[in-house]
Amino acid sequence: MAVGARPSGIGELAAQALPGMPLVAGATLPLAFIALGLAAFAAGSLWIALEPALVLQPHLHPRVAALAHLWLPGFLLSASIGSLYQLMPVALGAPLHARAAALWLHFALHLLGLPPLVLAFARGHFEWVALGGGLLAAGAVILLVAVLGTFRAASRRDAAAWSFPLAAGWLALTVLVGLLLALNRRWPFLSLSSVDLLRAHAHLGVAGFFLTLLQGTAFQLVPMFTVGEVRRPRLVWAGLLGTQAGLAVLAPGLAWHQAAPMLAGAGLLAAGLAGSGIALVATLRTRRKPALDIGLKAFMTGAAAFVPAAAVGGWLALAPPDHPAMLRTISAYGLLLIPGALSLTVLGMLCKVIPFLVWMRAYGPRVGRYPVPAATALTSRRLERAWFATHLAGLVLITAGCALDSALAARLGGLVLAVATGLFLANALGVFAHLRRPRLPAGTGQPLATRSP
Amino acid sequence: MKETLPAPPTPEALRAAFRLVQDPEFGLGVEDLGLIYDVRVAGGQVDVVMTLTSTHCPAGDVILQGVKAAAEALPGVTDVRIELVWSPAWTPERLSRAARDALGWE
């Protein structure tokens, strides 16, 4: 049976329409992926706080590569997979096409693959990098099969729906290229430059998986949480297609170090980003609720951070390779993208997803029987606000420190980012605590039927 | 001695009970959200016609089961049938005044 498929005998509920999608594996699997991502987030932020000078090192430094992999497949990918497994059936209107055992196998492969991947990068042991990458690649295949099966079973075929199989396909390609890179470092067999292939690998992951997914899910999540409507649907399509075409040209251009496809690909990618951005702003303007909560503010700020990141990326594509600021600018580009655009969008999304999943598990079975708190009441507004402000401050400091080659600003930025992570995790742990000890609103211990309406 | 069943609740009493069945995202009862289209009571039989804010509402199951549980908990109710409909589609215009004020909506 597909995970999330409705068990028979649901009672007297009408059968003519699906009343929403049930929780995937009782929400435990998405929460497990998210918890793994948050653990990697904590480790990555602590590492930056303890060794902030690392961000001033060239991006090819082994420990920089280790930190990037702790942050990208460790934190951002884990959290995104957890959210994807829950959100995709909702967005596509079809149960997740995978057995629970297969999804848990994916989690196990991901969990077991990350430590060798990160630790071996730090020590330059590429056979162990290949082993960790191989485990992640096997997990990515499970995800790809689940996504393709669910997409085939669903009828929705707009840009938001297409973003799922496209992102899963790019992810599979990303891990395959990463695996080739690691094997080639240990047993050289490719005629391509490892540095060029590494850049293609990084763009496949960032633009192929994360950006593609965001270009689709943003048009599901933002209207859902603000009760707005998707506007400029042709531009939504154009944005997604621009990114796909751009990456299909950019990645080979980077791998084979060809200037013309690099520039053309970067241009198409930037155009795709602009299209999605314009459509997202138009969609946001249809919202009924004027004030945005912190989760949505962070999500939109992260989406906006793609603009300076793309500008820096454009400069990198045009500047001569021996430009004295090249290495620093590459690092600043990475910071704008990883703790900037990607982390803010993913963390913003988690501000909504974690309370919702925890609420569904802790309070869902009590709805209609006992008064329950709203999902939004599980979080601390003060901690959320403090996290967001601190994360932005840390991001600005560390990126400026890197771009201006200021060790002091980079150190300060690393510490501030670590404080921000602590604030986010404190809030998330407070939400997770409801799973162990649900808290009913004060004075509402009685069943609803015994209370006066 | 013959046991007498309690009188069934009125549609108004049922709607009041549905105010306490909350949507997780908005923290508002399904009645104030405008999700309940019709409530009919015949003897102990309760029929509810309702919708969800979207066809793929992730909390759909919980909300429907909550409405069913809230109705079943009232004295005099022997059976509850819920008909989920998508036409007319829910729009934010169906929110009650109290719900709009609570959400700070324009």
Side-chain angles (χ1 to χ4, degrees):
Chain A
M1 189 171 95
V3 175
R6 200 167 309 285
S8 57
I10 196 161
E12 295 78 6
L13 302 180
Q16 74 272 30
L18 278 174
M21 285 298 131
L23 295 172
V24 172
T28 312
L29 179 94
L31 285 172
F33 268 108
I34 289 169
L36 173 61
L38 292 180
F41 180 40
S45 298
L46 192 63
W47 192 349
I48 291 181
L50 294 174
E51 198 180 358
L54 205 52
V55 298
L56 299 176
Q57 297 293 326
H59 64 288
L60 300 172
H61 190 289
R63 289 219 296 284
V64 174
L67 180 62
H69 282 81
L70 181 56
W71 205 285
L72 277 162
F75 158 41
L76 293 167
L77 181 60
S78 305
S80 298
I81 291 172
S83 305
L84 181 150
Y85 276 144
Q86 180 58 41
L87 179 66
M88 186 177 58
V90 172
L92 294 183
L96 194 58
H97 192 81
R99 291 181 182 279
L103 300 177
W104 281 111
L105 176 62
H106 180 189
F107 178 73
L109 290 166
H110 201 74
L111 178 68
L112 293 173
L114 280 173
L117 182 73
V118 173
L119 295 173
F121 258 124
R123 293 172 176 271
H125 294 163
F126 286 95
E127 64 276 26
W128 286 97
V129 170
L131 174 72
L135 293 171
L136 258 61
V141 170
I142 293 174
L143 180 131
L144 182 64
V145 170
V147 169
L148 291 179
T150 310
F151 183 73
R152 243 181 59 180
S155 56
R156 186 174 176 181
R157 287 293 181 268
D158 60 3
W162 271 102
S163 71
F164 290 105
L166 288 170
W170 288 118
L171 178 66
L173 193 57
T174 305
V175 291
L176 180 68
V177 173
L179 204 53
L180 283 176
L181 260 169
L183 293 170
N184 188 53
R185 285 294 298 268
R186 181 64 183 83
W187 299 284
F189 60 95
L190 291 172
S191 56
L192 295 170
S193 147
S194 286
V195 174
D196 292 334
L197 204 53
L198 174 69
R199 287 173 182 163
H201 166 66
H203 283 83
L204 284 170
V206 169
F209 178 72
F210 291 109
L211 180 58
T212 298
L213 202 56
L214 285 170
Q215 283 179 302
T217 52
F219 295 96
Q220 175 76 25
L221 294 174
V222 171
M224 191 166 86
F225 289 128
T226 62
V227 191
E229 293 155 29
V230 176
R231 284 281 192 265
R232 316 282 298 266
R234 285 184 185 171
L235 213 47
V236 177
W237 263 118
L240 184 67
L241 292 175
T243 306
Q244 306 308 298
L247 189 57
V249 177
L250 176 69
L254 287 167
W256 276 275
H257 204 84
Q258 297 293 312
M262 267 198 282
L263 283 172
L268 279 168
L269 249 173
L273 261 175
S276 295
I278 293 166
L280 188 58
V281 169
T283 297
L284 190 67
R285 283 193 177 139
T286 66
R287 72 190 190 276
R288 264 76 173 189
K289 192 178 178 184
L292 296 181
D293 57 33
I294 291 295
L296 279 166
K297 273 185 188 168
F299 187 88
M300 293 305 294
T301 307
F306 278 107
V307 176
V312 174
W315 183 88
L316 289 170
L318 291 167
D322 57 350
H323 192 286
M326 178 57 79
L327 286 178
R328 277 189 283 134
T329 311
I330 291 175
S331 299
Y333 177 57
L335 288 168
L336 277 172
L337 279 172
I338 301 172
L342 295 181
S343 295
L344 283 168
T345 46
V346 169
L347 290 168
M349 181 182 64
L350 291 182
C351 284
K352 312 291 283 183
V353 171
I354 296 173
F356 175 76
L357 290 175
V358 168
W359 184 93
M360 289 287 277
R361 268 198 78 80
Y363 299 104
R366 298 165 195 253
V367 172
R369 294 178 175 84
Y370 294 89
V372 295
T376 48
L378 307 192
T379 60
S380 157
R381 293 281 176 280
R382 279 174 56 193
L383 281 174
E384 277 188 347
R385 276 198 295 268
W387 155 70
F388 184 49
T390 318
H391 190 103
L392 284 181
L395 178 65
V396 169
L397 274 170
I398 201 166
T399 309
C402 189
L404 305 172
D405 203 18
S406 161
L408 178 66
R411 279 176 196 281
L412 207 55
L415 286 172
V416 174
L417 264 184
V419 170
T421 303
L423 291 166
F424 187 92
L425 293 175
N427 187 39
L429 287 173
V431 178
F432 278 113
H434 286 259
L435 290 172
R436 287 179 64 88
R437 199 184 308 167
R439 283 169 241 158
L440 295 174
T444 55
Q446 304 168 36
L448 286 175
T450 65
R451 295 158 55 84
S452 33
Chain B
M1 190 176 138
K2 192 177 173 184
E3 192 180 338
T4 55
L5 286 170
T10 62
E12 291 72 30
L14 283 154
R15 283 183 179 275
F18 298 154
R19 284 205 165 84
L20 301 170
V21 179
Q22 287 193 354
D23 174 280
E25 168 63 16
F26 298 108
L28 291 168
V30 293
E31 172 67 19
D32 281 320
L33 278 173
L35 300 182
I36 306 294
Y37 286 174
D38 193 18
V39 180
R40 290 186 295 268
V41 183
Q45 172 74 51
V46 172
D47 287 279
V48 180
V49 182
M50 66 176 290
T51 191
L52 296 169
T53 53
S54 80
T55 48
H56 305 129
C57 173
D61 267 357
V62 164
I63 291 172
L64 293 173
Q65 297 289 6
V67 168
K68 187 168 184 288
E72 283 172 344
L74 292 177
V77 174
T78 55
D79 190 25
V80 180
R81 282 194 304 231
I82 296 178
E83 187 185 354
L84 181 68
V85 296
W86 302 114
S87 179
W90 180 86
T91 67
E93 280 63 46
R94 296 194 63 85
L95 287 168
S96 71
R97 185 71 254 169
R100 284 165 201 244
D101 290 345
L103 293 170
W105 285 18
E106 290 166 333

